[in-house]
């Protein structure tokens, strides 16, 4: 359950925290402080993060075009489709329409397979293909960024190459790509430090028990949301696509209703906010830096592209 909670929160951070047991507001403050932080100090919303990713695509296209290459921006999901069910979904309407999001994922997979950039690159001559790669991401000559990330055992290390249009885009959006890499990788790897505390927390375990009892009364005997989602995926193999999707929606709707009745989603979000708020002070600077750099990126992105519908 701990691993699935971490994985769900990681996905939610990239797509949406609105419908999950992942805290949206991770501002550094005492858990007993009632006042909400200023808007400028809060984490970005799902819609705001999507706008940054859309702006990055637009900037990449401009950069590649300047170098004489064609480039197509990715297929955009709607704002509603971009939501992730995460650890637990408490939006009954979304569940009734999308279940656990299997058809949305199929749409993403189809777009990835039909990506015109891959077809275009494959059609280039070996020399032009090498030039394409160098322009896009710097190739083998790209700068290597390295930073430490927090782990339950201490710290680890992660690296990435950054050059070409990718580096130009990050600089235009975040100002300092190295600072963004350092802050982003630290913040997105904090979950393993506090998720085990959430899963042992009495408020959370009590809410989870209420959720499980609610699901049993609805005819779905599962100990936790990941177990329900796994069972739906396994059963889909023996059904037609239409039957599988209807079965998926039935379980997802029951999950979301039970999440509301048991307050599991609300408790999970509140407990995550609490445990993130009491992390060691050494992470405060990185969290603040992440929030500032991301909000600056959104301000710049808003000048490049409009919001998703």
């Amino acid at each position: 359950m701990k691993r699935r909670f971490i994985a769900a929160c990681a996905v939610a951070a990239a797509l949406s925290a609105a419908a999950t047991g992942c805290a949206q507001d991770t501002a550094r403050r005492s858990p007993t402080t009632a006042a909400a932080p200023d808007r400028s100090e809060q984490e970005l919303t799902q819609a705001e993060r999507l706008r940054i990713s859309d702006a990055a695509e637009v900037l990449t296209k401009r950069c590649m075009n300047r170098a004489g290459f064609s480039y197509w921006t990715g297929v955009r999901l709607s704002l509603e489709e971009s939501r992730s069910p995460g650890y637990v979904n408490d939006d009954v309407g979304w569940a009734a329409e999308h279940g656990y999001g299997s058809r949305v994922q199929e749409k993403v997979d189809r777009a990835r397979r039909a990506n015109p950039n891959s077809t275009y690159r494959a059609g280039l001559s070996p020399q032009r293909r090498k030039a394409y790669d160098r322009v896009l991401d710097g190739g083998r000559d790209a700068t290597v960024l390295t930073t430490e990330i927090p782990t339950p055992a201490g710290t680890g290390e992660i690296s990435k190459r950054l050059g070409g249009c990718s580096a130009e885009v990050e600089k235009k959006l975040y100002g300092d790509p190295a600072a963004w890499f350092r802050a982003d990788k630290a913040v997105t790897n904090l979950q393993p430090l506090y998720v085990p505390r959430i899963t042992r927390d009495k408020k959370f375990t009590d809410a989870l028990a209420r959720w499980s009892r609610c699901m049993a009364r609805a005819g779905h005997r599962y100990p936790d949301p990941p177990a329900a989602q796994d069972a739906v995926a396994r059963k889909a193999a023996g059904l037609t696509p239409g039957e599988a999707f209807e079965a998926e929606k039935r379980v997802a709707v029951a999950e979301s209703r039970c999440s509301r009745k048991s307050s599991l989603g609300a408790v999970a979000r509140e407990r995550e906010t609490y445990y993130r708020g009491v992390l060691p002070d050494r992470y405060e600077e990185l969290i603040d830096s992440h929030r500032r750099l991301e909000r600056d990126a959104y301000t710049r992105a808003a000048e490049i592209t409009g919001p998703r519908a």
Side-chain angles (χ1 to χ4, degrees):
M1 183 173 69
K2 295 174 185 177
R3 288 194 297 272
R4 287 300 300 270
F5 196 108
I6 291 170
C9 287
V11 171
L15 296 176
S16 168
T20 70
C22 303
Q24 298 182 66
D25 172 16
T26 53
R28 299 286 293 182
R29 64 183 187 277
S30 167
T32 59
T33 301
D38 294 338
R39 182 71 184 94
S40 62
E41 296 179 350
Q42 289 181 317
E43 296 287 343
L44 295 189
T45 64
Q46 167 206 15
E48 289 169 336
R49 286 198 174 104
L50 288 173
R51 199 164 182 179
I52 294 176
S53 66
D54 291 344
E57 283 279 280
V58 171
L59 289 173
T60 301
K61 175 179 172 62
R62 291 176 184 175
C63 180
M64 294 297 288
N65 291 166
R66 284 199 313 271
F69 292 103
S70 297
Y71 188 87
W72 291 263
T73 57
V75 174
R76 294 185 182 183
L77 298 176
S78 68
L79 190 59
E80 179 181 346
E81 288 174 327
S82 299
R83 299 179 66 176
S84 167
Y87 176 74
V88 64
N89 176 30
D90 49 18
D91 187 328
V92 178
W94 197 93
E97 180 70 21
H98 302 287
Y100 286 118
S102 64
R103 290 195 170 177
V104 175
Q105 185 58 51
E106 288 172 4
K107 182 177 179 179
V108 172
D109 292 341
R110 285 195 303 270
R112 185 181 296 113
R113 289 193 297 268
N115 187 344
N117 293 308
S118 298
T119 303
Y120 172 76
R121 179 184 179 278
L124 296 174
S125 68
Q127 185 176 1
R128 286 286 287 168
R129 193 179 306 135
K130 184 176 181 180
Y132 177 97
D133 293 342
R134 186 169 58 251
V135 170
L136 180 60
D137 59 20
R140 294 184 178 181
D141 296 329
T143 299
V144 177
L145 301 178
T146 302
T147 189
E148 290 186 344
I149 57 172
T151 71
T155 59
E157 192 172 86
I158 189 170
S159 301
K160 79 168 181 177
R161 291 182 179 275
L162 185 66
C165 290
S166 298
E168 178 182 309
V169 168
E170 288 206 4
K171 184 171 179 59
K172 285 185 176 180
L173 288 173
Y174 297 100
D176 185 342
W180 169 245
F181 179 66
R182 183 170 59 253
D184 186 50
K185 293 307 175 185
V187 170
T188 56
N189 282 279
L190 288 175
Q191 286 100 341
L193 303 187
Y194 61 78
V195 166
R197 301 180 71 182
I198 295 175
T199 57
R200 294 193 302 267
D201 186 282
K202 190 175 187 305
K203 288 184 178 179
F204 176 82
T205 56
D206 285 351
L208 183 60
R210 292 194 300 270
W211 178 90
S212 185
R213 289 194 297 270
C214 175
M215 287 290 283
R217 289 194 296 271
H220 308 290
R221 296 184 177 277
Y222 301 114
D224 53 47
Q229 295 170 32
D230 287 344
V232 165
R234 288 194 304 271
K235 291 177 182 177
L239 303 173
T240 67
E243 291 171 339
F245 190 52
E246 290 304 313
E248 174 186 336
K249 289 193 292 184
R250 282 195 297 272
V251 178
V253 166
E255 173 183 309
S256 59
R257 286 175 175 162
C258 287
S259 178
R260 289 192 172 192
K261 290 178 181 178
S262 66
S263 300
L264 178 59
V267 169
R269 289 189 289 271
E270 186 276 327
R271 289 290 81 190
E272 184 177 21
T273 297
Y274 175 87
Y275 284 113
R276 280 186 64 120
V278 295
L279 284 171
D281 289 342
R282 62 181 176 275
Y283 299 118
E284 183 172 359
E285 181 180 349
L286 287 169
I287 292 173
D288 290 343
S289 178
H290 183 272
R291 187 181 303 114
R292 174 180 54 79
L293 289 168
E294 194 174 47
R295 185 148 294 283
D296 288 347
Y298 172 73
T299 299
R300 296 171 184 129
E303 298 175 355
I304 298 167
T305 189
R308 287 195 196 182

